[in-house]
Amino acid sequence: MANAAVFDLCVVGAGMIGSAAARHASELPGTSVCLIGPEEPQDRHNNATGIFAAHYDEGRITRACDPNPVWASMAQASIKRYKDIEEKSGISFYNEVGTLMAARSNGEYMSKVQTVLKEQRIPVVNLDGRELAAKFPYLRLSANDAGVYEERNAGYISPRRLVSAQQAAAKKQGCRIIHDVVEKVSRVVKNGEYVMRVETNGGTVVESRKVLLAAGAYTDFRQLLPGFRLNQLLCPLTVALAEISEQDAAILRSMPSVIYKGDGHPELHPDFPRLPDGQVSYYMLPPIQYPDGKYYIKLGHFHAAVLARLHSAGEVKRWFETGNKALADATGKFIRSLFKGVEVLGWKQDQCVVVETPNDLPYIDTVHTQLGVATGGNGYAAKSSDEIGRIAATMMLRGWDSDIPRDTFRLRTKSAL
């Protein structure tokens, strides 16, 4: 049934970006906001909606360091607001344990990182191969590596708790939250004016002056866009959660989050996927206590290391339900070979889907004056989601408000199937 009120903005997709957009929009005086998205399913294998989200997890790396200046800028803006979001919501999600980026000392990746560090004056500690080995003796790194260590304003966030915090703050500000899946968005005429009509799987109809789509990988799988698809690819990623004891977790209590791209140590397990140039690349979270009470080290590969891509809602659903056990096992063995003096008790697999855009940056743009899009995380958006949401919400309601040129995030489309 339809709701009588016409909202100023309806955000479709209640993940990290959508929830952030709803919070920022609902901060604006006199602005009515609605956020629609499903709750996390209790059983991944019996999920009637077929929707799985990247925030159904406890660990995502956050840091300012990045080879891309746009991602670095958005990350810094978001990180500055973490504490404020925690205070407004009463929900903690940020762990400031620091982040280490290590790579081949003379490689292109580290060169780009250093350029961004200098241009944006990001405070770090630079470490050569010998210093890396001394500071992180529990990791097997290459003698050819150099490191950039962010001790402050970096570490990891719980994406699950971040979404809860954003939604709690938005709700306090008057945002209406509907836990359902949107099936169709259309523009209709009401009382001589165009309004946006949002229809959910459960039969709810919401009318709004404007709609922001933040549905990620699912944007093309419902009737959300008017006759075209997004120019994006869906990359399936595999991670392993390696269980360690509480005692070993205590030993690693000062371990930072790690991003690595280099030659790798000779003793690393060989079946872990490499980049096309043969380099080893991974991201890794320090020990985190998960809801089952156990401590896990999470490690995954970069999306450039795999060739497979997903093309339908059915493929995405099957991927989340089954994943790639062989790759998860190789990743678990890789974690075991990466650490010195830490016993890996076993591992379990998990998986996610990364939305890739042609320029590795998100889409933050309007389809027309009443419909906008904020999607395309490219595997980097969790840390920056609050700023992406702020830019998108402001774009829809007030106009462009970012030092980053609007054309940077221009929407690119493909014809409908």
Side-chain angles (χ1 to χ4, degrees):
M1 59 184 294
N3 298 305
V6 176
F7 292 94
D8 293 310
L9 179 67
C10 178
V11 181
V12 175
M16 287 179 278
I17 292 174
S19 297
R23 182 181 73 82
H24 283 284
S26 59
E27 281 184 346
L28 299 175
T31 303
S32 58
V33 182
C34 179
L35 173 66
I36 308 178
E39 293 183 287
E40 181 174 352
Q42 296 299 309
D43 182 358
R44 175 172 293 187
H45 300 284
N46 188 26
N47 178 11
T49 68
I51 303 293
F52 303 88
H55 68 267
Y56 301 162
D57 188 27
E58 291 299 330
R60 287 291 187 280
I61 297 174
T62 188
R63 86 283 180 186
C65 284
D66 199 281
N68 186 304
V70 176
W71 282 115
S73 176
M74 291 193 297
Q76 290 171 83
S78 294
I79 293 167
K80 287 178 182 177
R81 293 193 286 266
Y82 285 174
K83 293 298 183 184
D84 183 54
I85 299 169
E86 289 183 325
E87 290 174 2
K88 286 181 176 178
S89 66
I91 298 172
S92 61
F93 59 84
Y94 174 41
N95 293 270
E96 193 180 25
V97 298
T99 295
L100 169 68
M101 296 185 73
R104 185 186 292 169
S105 60
N106 60 349
E108 180 183 7
Y109 186 83
M110 184 56 71
S111 175
K112 289 181 177 180
V113 169
Q114 291 291 352
T115 297
V116 172
L117 291 176
K118 292 174 183 177
E119 290 177 349
Q120 300 193 13
R121 299 180 180 179
I122 300 170
V124 298
V125 176
N126 288 294
L127 304 169
D128 60 24
R130 180 183 57 81
E131 292 166 329
L132 280 171
K135 190 166 185 62
F136 307 104
Y138 45 82
L139 292 178
R140 288 188 172 93
L141 301 171
S142 169
N144 299 326
D145 292 333
V148 170
Y149 181 38
E150 282 185 272
E151 295 184 274
R152 298 287 180 266
N153 298 316
Y156 68 91
I157 56 176
S158 163
R160 181 181 279 122
R161 293 180 64 82
L162 170 58
V163 167
S164 295
Q166 296 280 28
Q167 292 185 14
K171 190 172 183 179
K172 286 181 180 179
Q173 294 164 177
C175 176
R176 183 184 177 192
I177 300 175
I178 300 173
H179 294 300
D180 203 345
V181 176
V182 172
E183 294 292 343
K184 184 177 181 179
V185 173
S186 57
R187 186 156 64 165
V188 300
V189 176
K190 182 177 182 180
N191 299 327
E193 296 183 350
Y194 282 120
V195 297
M196 300 302 294
R197 179 183 173 93
V198 180
E199 303 173 45
T200 76
N201 183 61
T204 299
V205 176
V206 171
E207 293 178 341
S208 182
R209 293 176 180 86
K210 297 185 177 183
V211 168
L212 175 67
L213 303 178
Y218 299 94
T219 307
D220 287 331
F221 300 151
R222 262 74 178 175
Q223 299 178 64
L224 308 183
L225 293 168
F228 61 82
R229 296 177 296 149
L230 301 181
N231 186 354
Q232 64 182 23
L233 295 173
L234 306 182
C235 175
L237 292 188
T238 298
V239 302
L241 296 170
E243 182 187 351
I244 64 172
S245 67
E246 186 174 355
Q247 291 73 25
D248 278 344
I251 292 172
L252 297 175
R253 63 184 179 276
S254 63
M255 176 182 165
S257 297
V258 179
I259 296 173
Y260 183 84
K261 184 178 181 182
D263 298 325
H265 192 277
E267 295 182 33
L268 295 180
H269 191 269
D271 291 343
F272 186 74
R274 263 62 171 175
L275 294 174
D277 61 5
Q279 289 192 80
V280 176
S281 64
Y282 60 84
Y283 66 93
M284 179 169 61
L285 281 297
I288 299 173
Q289 189 173 25
Y290 271 66
D292 63 3
K294 298 178 180 179
Y295 289 87
Y296 296 96
I297 295 171
K298 175 184 170 182
L299 186 145
H301 55 84
F302 287 175
H303 46 106
V306 295
L307 297 177
R309 296 297 183 265
L310 306 175
H311 302 95
S312 69
E315 288 182 357
V316 171
K317 186 176 187 294
R318 284 191 295 274
W319 170 253
F320 274 107
E321 290 175 342
T322 60
N324 185 330
K325 186 178 185 304
L327 182 51
D329 287 342
T331 304
K333 294 173 183 176
F334 180 88
I335 298 172
R336 180 173 279 164
S337 69
L338 178 61
F339 279 87
K340 296 181 287 185
V342 175
E343 183 183 4
V344 173
L345 303 175
W347 53 80
K348 60 182 181 179
Q349 74 177 65
D350 200 359
Q351 49 272 344
C352 64
V353 172
V354 168
V355 178
E356 300 173 327
T357 63
N359 66 352
D360 291 329
L361 292 171
Y363 293 137
I364 312 174
D365 202 358
T366 53
V367 176
H368 53 68
T369 56
Q370 291 178 279
L371 180 63
V373 173
T375 187
N378 290 277
Y380 311 119
K383 65 185 182 302
S384 304
S385 57
D386 190 67
E387 178 65 2
I388 296 171
R390 185 199 69 80
I391 294 173
T394 308
M395 171 189 71
M396 296 302 298
L397 296 168
R398 297 288 178 88
W400 195 254
D401 181 23
S402 175
D403 292 335
I404 304 169
R406 181 169 181 167
D407 193 59
T408 304
F409 306 113
R410 179 175 55 85
L411 180 64
R412 303 181 190 188
T413 65
K414 297 185 290 188
S415 61
L417 290 173

